[in-house]
Amino acid sequence: MSRAPRTPPPPYGNVGGAPPPHAAAARPGATDTAPLSRRDPGPPSAPTRPGRDRYLDLLRCLALVRVVFYHVFGYAWLSVVFPSMGVMFALAGSLMARSLARPALGVIRGRLRRLLPPVWVFAALVVPMMLYAGWRAPRGEALGWWLRLAAYLVPVGAPPYPGGLGSESGWLESAWPDEAAGPLWYIRAYLWFVIASPLLLRALRRLPWATLLAPLALTALLGTSLVTLPGETGLAVTDFAQYGSCWVLGMAYQEGMLAKVPRYLAVSLSAFLMALGLWWAAGHPGEDGLDLNDIPLAQALWSFGFVVILLQYAPSWRRLPGRLARFDRFVTLSNNRAVTIYLWHNLLIMATVPVIDLAWRLPFADGAVGTLLGETYSFWMFLLVWPLIALVIVLVGWVEDLAARRRPRLWPDGRDKGRDKRRDEGRDEGRGAGREERAREARD
């Protein structure tokens, strides 16, 4: 059954109704002039300024919350319900494609400038903590070990860290270095994607289907062990491959290519790929069973199909609608501090453990109360980690503003923009009242 053609969704950041810069060039014979009516309608109204797409902001916020929830509770089904990393890479790819309307070298330099300072602040705490706790270079690797530490400055490779430090009875669990450095794989993959984006975008425009599906094919080679890459190089290439299609998919969304695919076809193919991913996961479970994070091919197929459906049905929201509007400030804050939240959340989750353990010293923490505390331990970790995240946002989150060459803000949840808007409106009203007063005096 045929249906009316859909209007393609505006690209991210261009939801104000203004056409993209290349729109006129895309229409043969288009000109900048239009026939004038006999009666002059007056000067044209000012174009609406492009704004953020709040739907995509909401997706990023949900992805961050889901990441924190997963790292606290560890439920494997969360990787199926909402594949956060695929969503985050797709949104980042969309933003990157939008930015590449400018010269590529400047865009890459700007992305690195925004990304690296928050990483440096994180490393400035974590690396000295590990050294203080007794981490030393392996015997015979002194110079190479110190050189590999440079990955904390520019994480093009995997930074080194010890498997464990201290003892299980210490202030933090002995596995805390592994947990703290865990999020850095995302920073490494993001950096690779940023550097490769000009080439990926050029390839997408020339060979869209091949570029979109090539990372899935590479993941199939690596995930089925037809091709094996050892060590950290293999892990880095695997990460790049399994999320590459999501990154390119975000670019395709920004370019308007995804909207040209009939919805029924996109959803049908996505459902097939997602079912294929679950089938592969069922036959090749990881260490934690059907956790897709441990099964690259299943993760790649499921995330790709999931993101296609999210973007196919994407509304274009200048503001969060209905009941979602109550979460507007939290969504704004999480987007403005996404790097800070992601970098620090794992370490902060572990920091909740000694705080919760203080409850065992209370006089009533025996018997049923102690049993209840033990059974709800993860719940209290999830509850307490958010005040710690808020504290880190206030202490070091402003580095993201400096990296983006913005005015530093301690709590950027959008309230300052509201005050600025009201102040500007007040100025405009004052100027308008002044003009009316001067006009009346002139008439008198």
Side-chain angles (χ1 to χ4, degrees), residues 68-69 72-73 348-349 352 355-356 373 376-390:
V68 177
F69 192 91
V72 172
F73 293 96
L348 296 178
I349 288 172
T352 64
V355 176
I356 299 174
L373 181 62
T376 59
Y377 205 95
S378 295
F379 168 79
W380 295 110
M381 291 175 68
F382 185 74
L383 191 65
L384 289 176
V385 73
W386 293 105
L388 295 180
I389 289 175

Side-chain angles (χ1 to χ4, degrees), residues 360 362-375:
W360 298 103
L362 298 175
F364 55 82
D366 294 326
V369 175
T371 302
L372 179 62
L373 181 62
E375 292 177 349

Side-chain angles (χ1 to χ4, degrees), residues 209-274:
W209 285 106
T211 306
L212 195 60
L213 299 178
L216 290 178
L218 179 58
T219 306
L221 292 176
L222 298 172
T224 57
S225 300
L226 293 176
V227 175
T228 303
L229 297 177
E232 290 294 338
T233 300
L235 293 177
V237 174
T238 300
D239 292 337
F240 185 86
Q242 69 177 320
Y243 296 110
S245 287
C246 290
W247 184 279
V248 177
L249 187 61
M251 289 183 156
Y253 174 77
Q254 170 66 29
E255 291 286 297
M257 297 178 180
L258 187 59
K260 298 178 182 178
V261 180
R263 180 174 290 173
Y264 74 90
L265 180 60
V267 173
S268 300
L269 291 177
S270 297
F272 171 76
L273 291 177
M274 294 167 73

Side-chain angles (χ1 to χ4, degrees), residues 97-244:
R98 173 193 174 193
S99 299
L100 284 174
R102 304 190 301 272
L105 185 59
V107 172
I108 294 175
R109 186 168 56 246
R111 281 289 185 272
L112 296 182
R113 188 190 69 241
R114 290 187 176 199
L115 177 68
L116 294 181
V119 176
W120 296 340
V121 172
F122 176 76
L125 175 69
V126 173
V127 174
M129 282 178 60
M130 292 189 292
L131 294 175
Y132 178 79
W135 184 37
R136 298 293 182 267
R139 183 172 300 177
E141 294 186 18
L143 180 59
W145 181 77
W146 283 103
L147 290 177
R148 286 191 292 124
L149 281 180
Y152 282 100
L153 300 178
V154 183
V156 292
Y161 56 88
L165 284 175
S167 64
E168 294 295 336
S169 60
W171 189 71
L172 290 176
E173 294 182 8
S174 61
W176 72 264
D178 186 23
E179 297 293 335
L184 293 178
W185 77 265
Y186 172 81
I187 304 299
R188 177 189 63 195
Y190 179 89
L191 193 63
W192 281 32
F193 281 126
V194 165
I195 295 172
S197 282
L199 179 61
L200 290 174
L201 184 59
R202 190 178 300 115
L204 178 66
R205 289 169 176 171
R206 293 184 180 182
L207 300 169
W209 285 106
T211 306
L212 195 60
L213 299 178
L216 290 178
L218 179 58
T219 306
L221 292 176
L222 298 172
T224 57
S225 300
L226 293 176
V227 175
T228 303
L229 297 177
E232 290 294 338
T233 300
L235 293 177
V237 174
T238 300
D239 292 337
F240 185 86
Q242 69 177 320
Y243 296 110

